[in-house]
Amino acid sequence: MINFGFGVQWVSWMKACVTTSRISILVNGSPTEEFSPQRGLRQGDLLSPLLFNIMAEGLNILLTRALNLGILKGVLVGANNVRVSHLQFADDSILFCEAHWDQLVKSTWKPVLDNIKSKLSGWKRKLLSFAGRLTLIKSTLSSLPVYFLSLFKMLEGVARELEKIKAAFLWGGNNLKRKVHLVKWVEATKSIDQGGLGIRKIRDVNSCLLLKWWWKFGTQINALWRRVICSKYKIIEDCWHPPVRPSYKHSRIWSDILSIRASSNSIFNFFLANCLIKVGNRNRIKFWTDRWCGDICLKSDFPILFNLSTDKEGSLHHFFARKTSSCVWNFPHIRELYDWELIEEANLIAVLSSAPPLCNENADYLIWSNDATAHN
């Protein structure tokens, strides 16, 4: 703390908070005699998160020093050689070192299955009513694999095994004896409004959590992980969504994230329909291919004019810069337009008359269409 610039008096106060605390432990419901812990703060101490941040920053400095000394190598990602040595989040730290592929495949989902089976032990099933078992499935069990579901696409066999475990626990069965299920599991996973029990489908949960990376890709433009992805796979950094092009160079995790577009088409289309672009300084928006003018894509609504354009990838800023006045647009074409094409251009200009205004103070950004505050 002294090295961070904190005063001697303040450090002495913090030391007193750590060394003078006394605690007792409940043993069979009775407290033991108080004793002084060797390390740490009192449980629930308001200073704990603040002091933890200081300690975590100290660890970050030590890891950075180890990188400079060559003790920790890290990895170089992409053509821009973005170096990643460690990541810290709360009390978790990831160090990037050499690894073996056989330690990652086959056993990824085993901890999840083991954890769920331990939560669904036989004595818990006997002590809970049907409503209690349903509540446990919908709350605790659905949240256990969230970390894995947010990174990895669940294998079909694992998904079936998880659904089988949930169904057996709900209807009171076990590995030795299978009870009759009163309704099909497909019906049980429907929403309550549709007559189901409201149990979420594990595959849909997996798809939605992976789609969060699509949203983060469009909103967290300066984030380290996004810069790493763009550098590694040579992606244009101002694009809104990651391009989906098959490549053997894609990592397993990134391939799983991209595969949501094909494997969960209905959920992905719902995601795209609700991702709207808020116009700012127009530098990031593509005039033809982005949905910036309401809910329409000009490329799809005016395909003829798009095919005749000589600036198919031009930004909205460039198109606005070509305007000779507030109402007169100057579209670059490969040839002179015929009369019926001029009518189509007039229709395009009519659509653009209701375009969102320019806001030079803010950059272009994504909003969720159901977010009422984002439209204000």
Side-chain angles (χ1 to χ4, degrees):
M1 293 183 183
I2 295 294
N3 293 332
F4 277 117
F6 292 99
V8 176
Q9 183 67 37
W10 189 88
V11 173
S12 65
W13 291 341
M14 296 302 102
K15 185 177 181 180
C17 291
V18 175
T19 58
T20 61
S21 62
R22 295 183 63 81
I23 61 175
S24 63
I25 300 175
L26 290 177
V27 179
N28 296 329
S30 301
T32 63
E33 294 183 1
E34 292 187 349
F35 62 93
S36 298
Q38 298 297 318
R39 299 180 180 85
L41 300 171
R42 297 180 182 91
Q43 185 175 3
D45 196 314
L46 298 179
L47 288 173
S48 180
L50 302 178
L51 295 180
F52 175 81
N53 288 338
I54 298 177
M55 299 301 103
E57 179 60 23
L59 176 61
N60 174 61
I61 293 175
L62 291 176
L63 292 174
T64 303
R65 186 177 301 173
L67 179 67
N68 296 332
L69 294 175
I71 301 174
L72 181 65
K73 295 182 179 179
V75 293
L76 296 177
V77 183
N80 298 333
N81 287 333
V82 178
R83 182 179 293 276
V84 181
S85 59
H86 62 280
L87 296 176
Q88 292 176 279
F89 180 78
D91 58 347
D92 295 324
S93 297
I94 302 177
L95 304 183
F96 290 85
C97 305
E98 292 79 9
H100 299 283
W101 181 251
D102 56 358
Q103 298 177 2
L104 303 177
V105 183
K106 302 301 182 181
S107 60
T108 300
W109 293 98
K110 189 177 185 300
V112 177
L113 293 173
D114 293 341
N115 197 3
I116 289 180
K117 289 178 180 178
S118 66
K119 295 291 183 180
L120 299 181
S121 55
W123 67 269
K124 292 182 180 179
R125 181 174 57 251
K126 295 177 181 179
L127 295 176
L128 294 174
S129 63
F130 179 83
R133 295 196 297 270
L134 177 61
T135 302
L136 182 61
I137 290 175
K138 294 171 65 174
S139 58
T140 306
L141 299 184
S142 297
S143 61
L144 284 178
V146 165
Y147 176 78
F148 287 86
L149 295 175
S150 300
L151 289 175
F152 308 104
K153 184 179 179 181
M154 179 172 283
L155 302 175
E156 288 296 324
V158 177
R160 287 194 298 269
E161 182 65 20
L162 285 178
E163 302 289 4
K164 181 180 177 181
I165 294 173
K166 289 183 180 181
F169 183 79
L170 179 64
W171 302 112
N174 53 41
N175 294 332
L176 301 177
K177 184 178 180 181
R178 183 179 183 272
K179 286 196 173 183
V180 177
H181 296 185
L182 300 182
V183 297
K184 294 182 179 179
W185 186 250
V186 176
E187 299 296 325
T189 55
K190 290 183 178 180
S191 65
I192 297 178
D193 296 337
Q194 295 176 330
L197 298 178
I199 301 175
R200 296 182 297 178
K201 295 180 180 178
I202 195 68
R203 294 178 182 85
D204 292 345
V205 174
N206 190 199
S207 299
C208 292
L209 290 176
L210 291 179
L211 272 175
K212 287 179 63 177
W213 292 104
W214 285 72
W215 173 258
K216 292 179 180 180
F217 187 90
T219 55
Q220 301 178 359
I221 189 170
N222 294 320
L224 174 62
W225 73 270
R226 190 184 189 278
R227 291 168 47 216
V228 169
I229 291 295
C230 292
S231 176
K232 182 175 182 179
Y233 301 123
K234 299 180 180 179
I235 301 174
I236 301 176
E237 294 198 4
D238 62 353
C239 62
W240 298 101
H241 302 297
V244 181
R245 50 175 182 263
S247 174
Y248 68 92
K249 295 182 179 179
H250 286 166
S251 67
R252 179 63 180 271
I253 295 179
W254 189 242
S255 297
D256 289 345
I257 293 174
L258 296 181
S259 68
I260 296 301
R261 182 169 186 172
S263 60
S264 303
N265 192 258
S266 59
I267 296 179
F268 184 80
N269 289 336
F270 175 82
F271 168 78
L272 287 184
N274 286 276
C275 276
L276 303 180
I277 299 175
K278 191 72 172 180
V279 177
N281 53 23
R282 304 188 179 108
N283 288 326
R284 192 180 173 190
I285 298 176
K286 302 297 183 183
F287 178 83
W288 288 108
T289 57
D290 289 334
R291 291 193 309 133
W292 61 272
C293 190
D295 293 334
I296 66 173
C297 175
L298 298 180
K299 173 185 175 180
S300 302
D301 285 33
F302 301 93
I304 297 177
L305 296 180
F306 171 75
N307 291 331
L308 293 175
S309 176
T310 59
D311 192 6
K312 293 181 173 58
E313 298 296 326
S315 67
L316 180 58
H317 176 79
H318 291 156
F319 276 79
F320 263 78
R322 296 192 190 100
K323 294 176 65 176
T324 57
S325 68
S326 59
C327 299
V328 180
W329 293 76
N330 183 16
F331 300 109
H333 300 300
I334 59 177
R335 59 169 173 79
E336 293 292 330
L337 299 182
Y338 298 120
D339 291 342
W340 59 276
E341 293 171 341
L342 290 174
I343 297 176
E344 190 74 359
E345 186 179 68
N347 294 333
L348 173 59
I349 295 176
V351 171
L352 295 176
S353 63
S354 59
L358 175 67
C359 181
N360 286 319
E361 292 79 13
N362 300 319
D364 306 321
Y365 60 96
L366 282 181
I367 61 172
W368 189 252
S369 63
N370 290 331
D371 187 358
T373 59
H375 291 76
N376 297 330

